[in-house]
Amino acid sequence: MARKNLIEVSDGPAPATGAPEPFTVSRPIAGFVPPATRSAVPVGGITKTLGNITQKVERAQDLERQLAEGHMVVEIDPALVDGSFVSDRLGIDALELAQLVDQIRDHGQQVPILVRPHPVSKGRYQVAYGHRRLAAIRELGLKVRAVVRDLSDEQLVVSQGQENNARTNLSYIERALFAVRLEERSFSRDVIMSALGVDKAALSKMISVVRQIPVELVEAIGAAPEVGRRRWMELADLLPKAKVQDLLAILSQGAMKAQSSDQRFQAVVDALTSKPENKTKAGSFETWAAEDKSVRVVATSNGKGYTLALKDKDAARFGGWISANLEELYGAFRKSEKTETGA
């Protein structure tokens, strides 16, 4: 499906010379919206607020004007292109990438990526936006069509965030992580709000959520595209009473890794909210440990269910192996029953 050329670059001939057309901002930077005209003169704090907004609009237009300066689309070896200096994604979804590969294979790369000359490595480039397109092109073994511009760090991150807002929305937690990473690199709140298209209050909540949840736990869960701000905040409220290492052990199991990131998020919530079993009502309680003490199994039966809890060093790996071989194990169980009964 054809997409609108958001960076407004054309491979066609240059327009005929003549009176220059006035510059217009066809795609204003996200987060900067000119205030509506009012007949009454605002007073007090309102005057100051509108003055600040006007300054932001002018600054946004200046950035957009610089980004809109025309450059030719060129073809670059993907091996010479590095990612942005600040990540905005928790990985690229394999299914979405496969679909993009098929699309580019059938129709070609319709929209170029935006890169800048690498600020450190001579002869290399750094992506402002188009990471997924770059990954798809690499799989196809083609050269990537790109616009090369001299961008400051500030212009790069604004372009990066703006493109994601316009094309493929990041999940809430990815946007929040992006905000924190930008703040850690000393970008101003105004720049971050512009990149994400959010106001000051929303940005503060994003940063607060990430500050309360360990990054390693977020990365183990994944993007969780169906999980919004409210549920991430609820998870943050549950964590002070939790052992993060136990949660990471749950998420590291083979069967859990095969689940979607939304399902992994729910598994963490379930682990934090489930009530502990009342062992006084348990029908039986057994333990088993390997000779090398690398794994220990606690088996609990209450008549209606049977639970295996794996502990110690190899617990996650052994649990993943069990999950991956359930079909064979169940077959062996059925075979043993037939042997014992002679049926």
Side-chain angles (χ1 to χ4, degrees):
M1 179 175 68
R3 288 175 166 173
K4 181 179 178 182
N5 189 349
L6 294 181
I7 58 175
E8 301 181 357
V9 176
S10 172
D11 292 309
T17 57
E21 295 184 2
F23 174 81
T24 58
V25 179
S26 59
R27 182 167 62 92
I29 288 181
F32 291 110
V33 180
T37 303
R38 297 183 56 173
S39 57
V41 178
V43 295
I46 299 178
T47 302
K48 183 178 179 180
T49 299
L50 291 180
N52 291 337
I53 292 175
T54 301
Q55 291 177 1
K56 291 180 181 180
V57 171
E58 292 173 350
R59 182 167 171 274
Q61 291 175 341
D62 180 62
L63 283 173
E64 186 72 14
R65 181 179 292 105
Q66 294 179 52
L67 295 175
E69 293 176 355
H71 291 263
M72 293 295 294
V73 176
V74 297
E75 291 189 343
I76 301 175
D77 183 350
L80 298 176
V81 184
D82 298 324
S84 170
F85 63 89
V86 56
S87 175
D88 56 13
R89 291 185 182 276
L90 287 168
I92 300 177
D93 182 87
L95 178 58
E96 290 182 0
L97 180 60
Q99 293 172 343
L100 185 56
V101 167
D102 291 340
Q103 179 184 349
I104 294 177
R105 181 187 292 114
D106 295 339
H107 305 289
Q109 183 188 345
Q110 298 296 310
V111 180
I113 68 173
L114 177 63
V115 302
R116 70 173 179 178
H118 200 289
V120 177
S121 302
K122 186 177 180 180
R124 298 189 65 80
Y125 302 90
Q126 193 172 61
V127 177
Y129 59 69
H131 289 84
R132 294 190 309 152
R133 275 167 277 168
L134 178 61
I137 291 294
R138 280 176 172 153
E139 287 204 12
L140 291 169
L142 304 174
K143 288 190 174 182
V144 63
R145 299 178 68 244
V147 173
V148 182
R149 291 182 179 157
D150 290 320
L151 302 174
S152 66
D153 287 353
E154 181 177 293
Q155 289 171 325
L156 186 144
V157 297
V158 169
S159 298
Q160 184 177 349
Q162 184 184 49
E163 173 74 358
N164 285 325
N165 288 334
R167 289 188 173 278
T168 301
N169 290 333
L170 301 178
S171 70
Y172 179 82
I173 199 63
E174 285 179 310
R175 287 162 57 82
L177 277 174
F178 186 46
V180 169
R181 287 165 178 164
L182 291 178
E183 187 173 66
E184 289 174 346
R185 288 179 172 269
S186 300
F187 285 97
S188 69
R189 287 288 177 101
D190 282 347
V191 170
I192 302 174
M193 288 188 291
S194 175
L196 291 171
V198 297
D199 59 23
K200 186 176 181 179
L203 178 60
S204 295
K205 291 177 181 177
M206 284 180 169
I207 293 174
S208 175
V209 167
V210 175
R211 297 298 187 199
Q212 295 179 71
I213 304 176
V215 173
E216 59 267 29
L217 181 59
V218 173
E219 291 175 341
I221 292 173
E226 299 300 322
V227 180
R229 176 182 63 85
R230 181 182 59 81
R231 296 184 66 199
W232 279 105
M233 292 182 70
E234 290 173 352
L235 174 59
D237 291 339
L238 292 170
L239 283 178
K241 302 177 182 179
K243 293 183 179 179
V244 175
Q245 291 303 318
D246 290 345
L247 299 175
L248 292 174
I250 293 173
L251 295 174
S252 67
Q253 296 178 13
M256 187 60 65
K257 287 184 176 181
Q259 300 292 316
S260 71
S261 56
D262 290 308
Q263 290 171 320
R264 290 194 293 272
F265 177 91
Q266 188 58 50
V268 170
V269 173
D270 290 343
L272 294 173
T273 56
S274 60
K275 295 180 180 180
E277 294 182 7
N278 187 347
K279 293 185 178 181
T280 60
K281 298 181 180 179
S284 63
F285 182 86
E286 299 177 356
T287 62
W288 173 88
E291 290 185 4
D292 59 3
K293 299 183 180 179
S294 60
V295 65
R296 178 166 50 94
V297 180
V298 178
T300 306
S301 174
N302 59 10
K304 295 182 179 180
Y306 198 90
T307 302
L308 295 178
L310 280 62
K311 302 179 182 296
D312 297 329
K313 182 180 67 173
D314 287 344
R317 292 173 51 236
F318 185 43
W321 182 88
I322 292 174
S323 298
N325 292 276
L326 287 174
E327 193 71 30
E328 295 181 12
L329 291 172
Y330 185 72
F333 161 70
R334 283 301 189 190
K335 185 176 180 181
S336 67
E337 282 192 327
K338 291 180 179 179
T339 302
E340 292 175 1
T341 61

